[in-house]
Amino acid sequence: MRAAVLREFDVPLTVEEIDRPTPERGQVLVRIVASGVNPLDTKIQAGKAAHARIQLPAVLGLDLAGVVAAVGAEVTDFAPGDEVYGLCGGVGDLQGSLAEYAAVDARLLARKPTTLSMREAAVLPLAAITSWEGLVDRAGVRAGQKVLVHGGAGGVGYVGVQLARARGAEAYATGGPASMHLIESLGAVPIDYTSTSVEEYVQRYTGGEGFDVIADNVGGPTLDASFAAVRTYHGHVVSALGWGSHSLAPLSFRGATYSGVFTLLPMLTGRGRDHQGDILREIAALAEAGALRPRLDPRPFTLDTIMDAHRLVAGGTTDGKVVVDVVG
């Protein structure tokens, strides 16, 4: 099969012929139709993501959508011909989705939402699982709460806003001037962080009390701002970007709490894979109910132009999530 292989960090991926995997016990062989490209994929390729624990040579690619080609022993939830999607690999020693086939732990997969195309489904897994773990698993977002999503027009934030609203919360989201209309189209209150201070928007939208839940999808100073904008006593900040050094004093002075999210953990450790599949089934149900939709960059890419896709994503100039068409 054809696959895009990383042989050295910070060297372009090369498209090669490698052996097609055979599904082992508990695995599903997926014919991959589309692969979503995430900023993390580009950092892994550049050698700037040690936490992904990549073992070279490696086939990268975190997200996939495709069709079941075969199943291994003891797999009862899937059969050949099923359309599936998932966060399958591209970290540790797990083969990623930039290949025509992948043998994937069945627990990491779910049936593709029937209302979405393969390309649309392929961009959801990482963003959706990250948002769900933070907003639902850690913070327990519910109706009546005010939820602030930082980076509401980004890949994870775009899903997070929709997830918060689907659970009955009142959504707010930060972004630059160019993203205000997009955020508003999702049903969230847009906040231009370039022209509005933390103190100003906390006072304007919460009467100075702070937001019940804040999802940080930006990191750095934005995480510090989250600690200062969360609700006193009962507020909860969640982030998948807790890098660097941060003072917890503003959070502590408000009597609030913080949770970190590390979405790759089930793939790296083998623990929690069943729950990852459960989340994908919940996300599929929301998509089929019309409560969640992905946003795709219209530019086409294939395995042969994968580095063009990486450069676009790394440059931060995408207009939605980037997709690589693997098999037609």
Side-chain angles (χ1 to χ4, degrees):
M1 67 175 184
R2 298 178 79 234
V5 180
L6 178 68
R7 295 201 169 273
E8 296 181 55
F9 290 119
D10 206 22
V11 170
L13 302 174
T14 57
V15 179
E16 306 174 11
E17 288 283 343
I18 64 173
D19 292 337
R20 181 189 300 183
T22 299
E24 300 178 355
R25 180 172 60 86
Q27 290 185 328
V28 171
L29 181 66
V30 180
R31 181 175 67 87
I32 300 169
V33 176
S35 171
V37 182
N38 298 281
L40 178 56
D41 293 303
T42 70
K43 293 174 184 175
I44 291 172
Q45 182 269 329
K48 298 178 180 178
H51 62 289
R53 306 178 198 172
I54 283 290
Q55 299 179 23
L56 298 180
V59 175
L60 301 189
L62 296 157
D63 293 331
L64 69 74
V67 180
V68 174
V71 298
E74 299 182 17
V75 173
T76 59
D77 292 338
F78 301 102
D82 288 344
E83 296 186 337
V84 295
Y85 79 131
L87 180 62
C88 71
V91 298
D93 61 354
L94 301 180
Q95 184 207 305
S97 56
L98 291 174
E100 292 176 327
Y101 291 86
V104 181
D105 187 327
R107 296 174 294 176
L108 298 174
L109 295 169
R111 282 182 173 77
K112 180 186 75 66
T114 57
T115 53
L116 300 183
S117 69
M118 287 287 185
R119 301 183 84 251
E120 290 172 324
V123 304
L124 276 178
L126 178 63
I129 292 171
T130 300
S131 290
W132 187 282
E133 286 191 0
L135 291 172
V136 181
D137 290 346
R138 307 292 195 279
V141 166
R142 60 188 183 276
Q145 291 184 318
K146 291 187 175 183
V147 176
L148 174 64
V149 177
H150 285 303
V156 177
Y158 189 84
V159 174
V161 167
Q162 295 177 82
L163 182 55
R165 294 195 70 243
R167 293 184 65 84
E170 188 176 338
Y172 301 77
T174 61
S179 63
M180 294 294 96
H181 178 70
L182 176 62
I183 290 171
E184 190 171 24
S185 73
L186 294 174
V189 176
I191 300 172
D192 182 352
Y193 73 90
T194 68
S195 62
T196 310
S197 70
V198 174
E199 293 76 17
E200 286 173 338
Y201 66 67
V202 168
Q203 181 61 43
R204 183 181 305 169
Y205 298 117
T206 74
E209 287 296 314
F211 295 89
D212 297 289
V213 176
I214 300 179
D216 164 43
N217 302 302
V218 181
T222 302
L223 181 54
D224 295 317
S226 301
F227 293 160
V230 70
R231 186 178 181 85
T232 302
Y233 289 126
H234 304 295
H236 198 137
V237 176
V238 296
S239 178
L241 293 167
W243 308 107
S245 299
H246 299 271
S247 172
L248 295 178
L251 185 76
S252 299
F253 291 157
R254 300 180 80 86
T257 56
Y258 168 80
S259 291
V261 174
F262 186 28
T263 317
L264 308 184
L265 209 55
M267 291 187 292
L268 293 173
T269 67
R271 299 173 58 186
R273 292 185 178 182
D274 286 304
H275 184 53
Q276 187 166 306
D278 291 340
I279 293 173
L280 290 171
R281 282 183 280 276
E282 295 279 3
I283 294 299
L286 289 176
E288 289 169 349
L292 190 152
R293 67 182 189 274
R295 176 172 167 257
L296 273 59
D297 188 287
R299 284 164 280 197
F301 298 96
T302 66
L303 287 180
D304 295 313
T305 57
I306 179 58
M307 291 312 301
D308 292 334
H310 269 221
R311 282 187 283 271
L312 180 64
V313 172
T317 58
T318 62
D319 187 20
K321 293 292 294 290
V322 170
V323 183
V324 172
D325 296 308
V326 180
V327 176

